[in-house]
Amino acid sequence: MAKKNKFYVTTPIYYPNDIPHIGHAYTTIAADVLARWYRLKGEEVFFLTGTDDHGKKIVRAAETKGKKPKEFVDALVFDFKDAWKKLDIEYDRFIRTTDKDHEKVVSDVLQKVYDKGDIYLGEYEGFYCTSCEAYYTEKDIEDGNCPVHKSKIEKLKEKSYFFKLSKYQDKLLKHYKDNPEFISPKNRRTEIINRVKEGLNDLSISRTSFDWGIPLPFDKKHICYVWFDALFNYYSATREKGRESFWPADVHLIGKDILWFHAVYWPAFLLSAGIELPKKVFAHGWWTFDNEKISKSRGKVINVDELVSIAGVDSIRYFLLRATPFGDDGDFSEQALKDRHNNELANKLGNLVSRVSGLIEKIGLEKARENKLLKKLKTKEIGNLVENYEFDKALNEIFAFIDDCNEYVQKTQPWKETCEDRKKILYEVADLLRAVAILLWPFIPSTSERISKIFGFKVGEKTFDDIVKPLEVKEIKKSEILFKKIE
Ligand code: MSP
C-alpha cells in the first residue's frame, strides 16, 4: 500500500499575557484551513498550536495581577483554548513551553549544543525590549526607545551564555540559496538575506535576573532565553511517540514581525543541534483596525469574542482569508466584515442554497446524466492556490463558480412550469452545491456541514475525491437561512 503523505503545520506559540485577538486568530485560522485542506485530501496531518509560557514579559504581566507566573498563565491558556473552540479550530496538540516533555527536549538540546562548543560564557551589555523579548543594538533604538513598541528600552548588563550565531552566517546564506522556498513570501526573503549578509552577532541565550524559564543543564543559575526555549516547541511536539516522522515541519506560519527569529535564529539552532530544518517559514502581514495600529493603549484591540459576535464564526474565518492576500497587510473594520457577510456569504452562497432547496422541496428532483457545469469548477487550480497560501484567490475562484451557479438558475428559471427538465436542472445545481461545499469545508466548516445535511452528502475529512461523485438523494427540505443579513 502506498504510504500516506504527511503534512505538519504550526502556528507561533502565543504569549499568554493577555486574551487572544485578531492577530492570533488570523494565523490560527489559516493553519486550520491548511490542516483541514490536507485532511480533506486524505493526508495524515499534524496541526500544532500552543503558548509561550516563559520569559520576563509573562513574569511582569503576572506581577501586575499579583499572581505567580504559573497561576497567571494557566488562566489565560484557558482563554486561548476557548477562543480556538469558538473559531472551530481543530488542532492536534496544544503545546505549552511549561510541558515537561518540551522542557526535557530543550534541556537536552542545550547540552548537545554546549558539548559541541557552540555555547560560551560571556557578559551581555546592551539593550533589551521585554515586550519583544528581543535584544537590540545602539543602532536599532530610536531616542532610547524600542523600534517596535516605542517604549523605553532597558539596558542590561549581566553574565550570560552566548550562542555562536556568527559561525552560522555562511551556512544560513547557503541554505537560503539552495532552498528558495524556505523563506516565503519572496519579498520578505530578500530583506532577511541582506541583513544576514551584513553579519551576525553571537546571541545571548541565558538570563540570571529572574527564574521563570528552563535552567541551563550545565549551569543551573542561568535560565534559557525565551526564544531559544520557544522555537524548539515545533520540534519537541514531534518527539512524542508516533509523531516522530512529522519532523521536519512542512510550514511554520508566523507574522512578519517574528520572521527574523524563525528564519535566522531557528535554523541556526537546528544546524548546531544537527537536526533537519523545516521546509518553509511563511510570514503573513499585519491587520490594522479602522486603519490604526492594533494597540491596547489606544483601545484598538479586537478580541476573538468580539470578532465572532459581529457576524458569526464562518464569516470572520471567511473575511480574514478573503479580504487580503496572506502575505500582505490588511485593514479590519466591522463594516467591511458585514459587507462581505451580506454580499458574498448571504447573497451568493446562502441564497443559492435556500432557493434551490426550497424549489426542490416543492418541485422535486431527477438525476441528470451528466453535469456539464461541474466541469467548469477549477478544482485543481483551487487546490494549487490553497497549497500556495493564496487563500484569497482560492475563495475568489470558488465564489466565481457560485456566481455561475446562480446565473444558471436565473437563466433556466426552474420555478416556471414552462421550464423543460426543471427537475434535472435542480438536481444539477444541488450536485454543484455538493462540490462547492466540499471545497469550502476547510474555510467555513460549519456552513459546509449544514449544506451537506440539507442535500444529504458527506463533507469533511477524506471527501476530496467525492467532488466528482454524483449526488444520491431523493428528498430535500427547504433549508433554514445560512447567513442572516446584518443591517
Ligand atoms: N511567543 C512569540 C512567538 C513564539 S513562536 C516560537 C510571540 N507571541 S505573540 O503572542 O506576541 O504573537 C504572536 C503572533 O501574533 C505573531 O505571529 C504576530 O505576527 C501576530 N500578530 C500580533 N498582532 C498582529 C496583527 N495586528 N496582525 C496580524 N498578526 C499579528 O510573538
Side-chain angles (χ1 to χ4, degrees), residues 12-15 21 23-24 52 227 234 255 257-258 284 286-287:
I13 46 170
Y14 306 111
Y15 291 125
H21 59 62
H24 307 117
D52 194 351
W227 272 99
Y234 304 132
D257 56 317
I258 54 174
H284 64 66
W286 266 48
W287 286 94

